[in-house]
Short mmCIF file of all heavy atoms in Angstrom, two decimals:
data_model
loop_
_atom_site.label_atom_id
_atom_site.label_comp_id
_atom_site.label_asym_id
_atom_site.label_seq_id
_atom_site.Cartn_x
_atom_site.Cartn_y
_atom_site.Cartn_z
N LEU A 32 -4.93 1.78 -7.40
CA LEU A 32 -6.27 1.85 -6.84
C LEU A 32 -6.32 2.77 -5.62
O LEU A 32 -5.48 2.70 -4.74
CB LEU A 32 -6.71 0.43 -6.42
CG LEU A 32 -8.13 0.28 -5.87
CD1 LEU A 32 -9.16 0.62 -6.94
CD2 LEU A 32 -8.34 -1.15 -5.36
N TRP A 33 -7.32 3.64 -5.61
CA TRP A 33 -7.62 4.50 -4.47
C TRP A 33 -9.04 4.21 -3.99
O TRP A 33 -9.89 3.80 -4.75
CB TRP A 33 -7.50 5.97 -4.85
CG TRP A 33 -6.10 6.51 -4.96
CD1 TRP A 33 -5.08 6.02 -5.73
CD2 TRP A 33 -5.58 7.66 -4.29
NE1 TRP A 33 -3.97 6.79 -5.59
CE2 TRP A 33 -4.23 7.81 -4.70
CE3 TRP A 33 -6.11 8.58 -3.40
CZ2 TRP A 33 -3.42 8.84 -4.24
CZ3 TRP A 33 -5.29 9.62 -2.92
CH2 TRP A 33 -3.96 9.73 -3.34
N VAL A 34 -9.25 4.48 -2.71
CA VAL A 34 -10.59 4.37 -2.11
C VAL A 34 -10.96 5.73 -1.56
O VAL A 34 -10.18 6.33 -0.81
CB VAL A 34 -10.62 3.31 -0.99
CG1 VAL A 34 -11.97 3.34 -0.26
CG2 VAL A 34 -10.35 1.92 -1.56
N VAL A 35 -12.14 6.22 -1.91
CA VAL A 35 -12.63 7.53 -1.49
C VAL A 35 -13.82 7.34 -0.57
O VAL A 35 -14.76 6.61 -0.89
CB VAL A 35 -13.05 8.39 -2.70
CG1 VAL A 35 -13.79 9.65 -2.27
CG2 VAL A 35 -11.82 8.74 -3.54
N VAL A 36 -13.80 8.04 0.58
CA VAL A 36 -14.89 7.98 1.55
C VAL A 36 -15.32 9.39 1.91
O VAL A 36 -14.64 10.08 2.68
CB VAL A 36 -14.47 7.22 2.83
CG1 VAL A 36 -15.67 7.12 3.80
CG2 VAL A 36 -13.93 5.84 2.51
N LEU A 52 -11.86 -1.33 6.10
CA LEU A 52 -10.93 -1.09 4.99
C LEU A 52 -9.55 -1.63 5.33
O LEU A 52 -8.85 -2.15 4.47
CB LEU A 52 -10.88 0.39 4.67
CG LEU A 52 -12.17 0.95 4.01
CD1 LEU A 52 -12.09 2.46 3.91
CD2 LEU A 52 -12.37 0.34 2.63
N PHE A 60 -3.87 -0.21 -1.90
CA PHE A 60 -4.68 0.94 -2.30
C PHE A 60 -4.30 2.11 -1.41
O PHE A 60 -3.71 1.96 -0.35
CB PHE A 60 -6.18 0.63 -2.20
CG PHE A 60 -6.67 0.34 -0.80
CD1 PHE A 60 -7.07 1.38 0.05
CD2 PHE A 60 -6.73 -0.96 -0.31
CE1 PHE A 60 -7.52 1.12 1.34
CE2 PHE A 60 -7.17 -1.23 0.97
CZ PHE A 60 -7.57 -0.18 1.80
N THR A 61 -4.69 3.29 -1.86
CA THR A 61 -4.51 4.52 -1.08
C THR A 61 -5.89 5.01 -0.67
O THR A 61 -6.81 5.06 -1.48
CB THR A 61 -3.80 5.60 -1.90
OG1 THR A 61 -2.52 5.11 -2.30
CG2 THR A 61 -3.60 6.87 -1.08
N LEU A 62 -6.02 5.37 0.58
CA LEU A 62 -7.30 5.80 1.14
C LEU A 62 -7.33 7.30 1.31
O LEU A 62 -6.40 7.91 1.85
CB LEU A 62 -7.53 5.13 2.50
CG LEU A 62 -8.71 5.62 3.35
CD1 LEU A 62 -10.04 5.34 2.66
CD2 LEU A 62 -8.66 4.97 4.74
N VAL A 63 -8.43 7.94 0.86
CA VAL A 63 -8.66 9.35 1.11
C VAL A 63 -10.05 9.54 1.68
O VAL A 63 -11.03 9.03 1.13
CB VAL A 63 -8.45 10.22 -0.16
CG1 VAL A 63 -9.36 9.79 -1.30
CG2 VAL A 63 -8.67 11.70 0.16
N LEU A 118 -12.40 3.48 -6.07
CA LEU A 118 -13.59 2.93 -5.44
C LEU A 118 -14.16 3.96 -4.49
O LEU A 118 -13.41 4.66 -3.80
CB LEU A 118 -13.23 1.68 -4.62
CG LEU A 118 -13.10 0.36 -5.36
CD1 LEU A 118 -12.52 -0.70 -4.41
CD2 LEU A 118 -14.46 -0.11 -5.87
N THR A 120 -16.94 4.37 -1.25
CA THR A 120 -17.92 3.87 -0.31
C THR A 120 -18.31 5.02 0.61
O THR A 120 -17.77 6.13 0.51
CB THR A 120 -17.42 2.64 0.46
OG1 THR A 120 -18.54 2.02 1.12
CG2 THR A 120 -16.34 3.01 1.49
N TRP A 130 -13.51 -6.87 -0.96
CA TRP A 130 -14.05 -5.79 -1.79
C TRP A 130 -13.02 -5.21 -2.74
O TRP A 130 -13.25 -5.13 -3.96
CB TRP A 130 -14.59 -4.71 -0.85
CG TRP A 130 -15.32 -3.57 -1.50
CD1 TRP A 130 -16.44 -3.64 -2.27
CD2 TRP A 130 -14.99 -2.18 -1.39
NE1 TRP A 130 -16.83 -2.37 -2.65
CE2 TRP A 130 -15.96 -1.45 -2.12
CE3 TRP A 130 -13.98 -1.48 -0.72
CZ2 TRP A 130 -15.94 -0.06 -2.23
CZ3 TRP A 130 -13.96 -0.09 -0.82
CH2 TRP A 130 -14.92 0.60 -1.57
N THR A 131 -11.87 -4.79 -2.23
CA THR A 131 -10.88 -4.17 -3.11
C THR A 131 -10.29 -5.19 -4.08
O THR A 131 -9.97 -4.86 -5.22
CB THR A 131 -9.75 -3.50 -2.30
OG1 THR A 131 -9.18 -4.46 -1.40
CG2 THR A 131 -10.28 -2.30 -1.51
#
Side-chain angles (χ1 to χ4, degrees):
L32 183 64
W33 282 55
V34 173
V35 170
V36 183
L52 290 171
F60 63 87
T61 301
L62 171 64
V63 57
L118 278 170
T120 193
W130 187 59
T131 54

